[in-house]
Amino acid sequence: MKVSIIIPNYNGEDLLRSNLPFVLKAKKFAGNNIYEVIVVDDGSKDKSLEVLKKDFGWVKIIKHKINRGFSSAVNTGVRSSKGDFICLLNTDVIPENDFLVSTFYHFENKRIFGVSLHEKGYGWAKGIFKDGFIAHEPGTEAGSSHITFWISGGSGIFKRDIWMKLGGMDEKLLSPAYWEDIDICYRALKRGYGLVWEPNSKVVHKHEGTVSKLSKNYFQKIRERNQLLFIWKNLTSSNLFGKHIMGLLKRLVSHPGYIRIVLMAFGKIGILLKARKKETREANVSDETIFSRF
């Protein structure tokens, strides 16, 4: 059993300096079964590469010449990994020394795709279908494991073979960021795989330590666009999709500016239709069944 840790990086030299030492401590803890740590630099303009080469020689470095987005960086790292499992960590995540030990017994169930790490202050994720839109809410920060709607791309461990079978994160449709981790998790659920949140696998996540440096207005629009693309791609129930259309029309009436988000989504209609056709063909669990679990 081997684990490959994948860490996407973009202009994160300070975060690398402060947080990679904690990853090294976790790597040295035998129970984590960490085989390698891969940092994928996504076209950074700061001194990230210098920091990695000088201070963290135990890290495997992969460099994108240009910034291609979070999902692309993750996919690059996974393709290059050698482990049976892949653990995704953001640069702003600090793991405890034994943070992976409690995840492994979940994978004794061959249908488990991934385990969500316990970010301090957060519990499992509840999937909801409300007013025609797919969204999620935080579950309780309980003391026992729980099914979860999705696993963060910044703090989760996944079976590599299932990841590859699913085709990885959808970088063509959802780049540069947001909803790509929910998307791959939902695709797994629709194919009958399971997702679990594990309270004893603890990390601290200082959310959006890198994204916060970029345009918040731009990323808010991307977040809303990708929510629409996610729904149009994955919601294959004719009943629920009809409710989505009604909800979308109501939103456009009450918030006319939302038409900009719709037009942004329509800009990827060709890629979207191809992806939706694949989901309709391959999914064997209904949308209604998934939401009924939460």
Side-chain angles (χ1 to χ4, degrees):
M1 180 187 298
K2 298 188 294 186
V3 177
S4 297
I5 292 184
I6 314 295
I7 303 176
N9 174 70
Y10 178 65
N11 290 343
E13 59 174 295
D14 293 335
L15 291 170
L16 294 172
R17 284 196 185 97
S18 61
N19 296 339
L20 276 183
F22 293 96
V23 177
L24 177 58
K25 289 180 181 179
K27 184 177 185 294
K28 291 180 178 179
F29 192 90
N32 290 321
N33 295 309
I34 297 173
Y35 172 73
E36 62 184 350
V37 177
I38 301 171
V39 174
V40 182
D41 185 77
D42 196 27
S44 293
K45 303 299 183 183
D46 65 358
K47 296 181 180 179
S48 290
L49 290 171
E50 294 179 32
V51 169
L52 288 169
K53 292 175 182 177
K54 178 182 177 182
D55 300 330
F56 304 103
W58 48 274
V59 168
K60 178 180 178 180
I61 305 169
I62 301 175
K63 179 182 177 182
H64 284 175
K65 293 182 179 179
I66 59 173
N67 182 259
R68 291 162 50 184
F70 177 80
S71 55
S72 177
V74 169
N75 285 341
T76 294
V78 173
R79 285 193 298 268
S80 301
S81 65
K82 306 297 183 184
D84 307 295
F85 300 89
I86 51 171
C87 176
L88 306 184
L89 293 181
N90 279 0
T91 52
D92 53 6
V93 168
I94 300 173
E96 290 197 351
N97 285 356
D98 62 347
F99 77 115
L100 291 178
V101 175
S102 298
T103 67
F104 296 124
Y105 82 94
H106 292 292
F107 292 107
E108 293 175 8
N109 179 344
K110 303 302 182 182
R111 298 301 294 177
I112 293 296
F113 170 49
V115 178
S116 176
L117 306 180
H118 180 185
E119 298 182 8
K120 184 178 180 180
Y122 297 87
W124 54 276
K126 178 182 180 180
I128 58 174
F129 184 80
K130 183 178 180 181
D131 299 327
F133 283 76
I134 296 175
H136 54 88
E137 297 176 346
T140 57
E141 195 175 3
S144 58
S145 59
H146 198 287
I147 62 169
T148 188
F149 182 61
W150 67 289
I151 297 170
S152 169
S155 57
I157 180 170
F158 304 85
K159 288 193 71 174
R160 187 183 186 278
D161 59 345
I162 299 177
W163 178 285
M164 299 302 291
K165 187 182 299 184
L166 291 168
M169 288 183 170
D170 193 342
E171 59 186 272
K172 292 183 179 179
L173 188 66
L174 300 173
S175 287
Y178 294 120
W179 285 84
E180 63 279 288
D181 43 11
I182 304 175
D183 173 74
I184 192 170
C185 287
Y186 196 75
R187 286 187 280 126
L189 292 174
K190 292 279 292 264
R191 287 159 175 78
Y193 296 110
L195 307 170
V196 181
W197 173 79
E198 173 50 55
N200 295 312
S201 299
K202 297 178 181 179
V203 299
V204 175
H205 191 177
K206 300 178 180 179
H207 284 268
E208 302 191 21
T210 299
V211 171
S212 61
K213 300 175 183 179
L214 306 173
S215 169
K216 291 184 178 181
N217 181 57
Y218 167 73
F219 272 103
Q220 178 58 32
K221 291 179 179 178
I222 292 296
R223 189 196 302 264
E224 293 183 75
R225 181 204 70 175
N226 283 3
Q227 181 189 25
L228 268 185
L229 290 172
F230 167 84
I231 293 170
W232 294 351
K233 171 188 174 181
N234 293 296
L235 193 66
T236 55
S237 162
S238 56
N239 175 44
L240 294 188
F241 199 82
K243 292 180 179 180
H244 166 67
I245 296 301
M246 293 302 297
L248 179 59
L249 292 174
K250 289 180 181 179
R251 183 170 292 192
L252 286 169
V253 170
S254 58
H255 302 284
Y258 193 72
I259 188 63
R260 296 178 182 176
I261 305 301
V262 175
L263 293 175
M264 288 173 65
F266 265 107
K268 293 203 170 188
I269 193 67
I271 299 172
L272 170 71
L273 291 175
K274 184 176 180 180
R276 180 177 174 83
K277 183 177 181 180
K278 177 180 174 65
E279 293 312 303
T280 302
R281 182 177 66 250
E282 295 186 5
N284 52 41
V285 177
S286 70
D287 300 295
E288 287 88 350
T289 296
I290 290 174
F291 292 112
S292 70
R293 297 170 183 167
F294 300 99

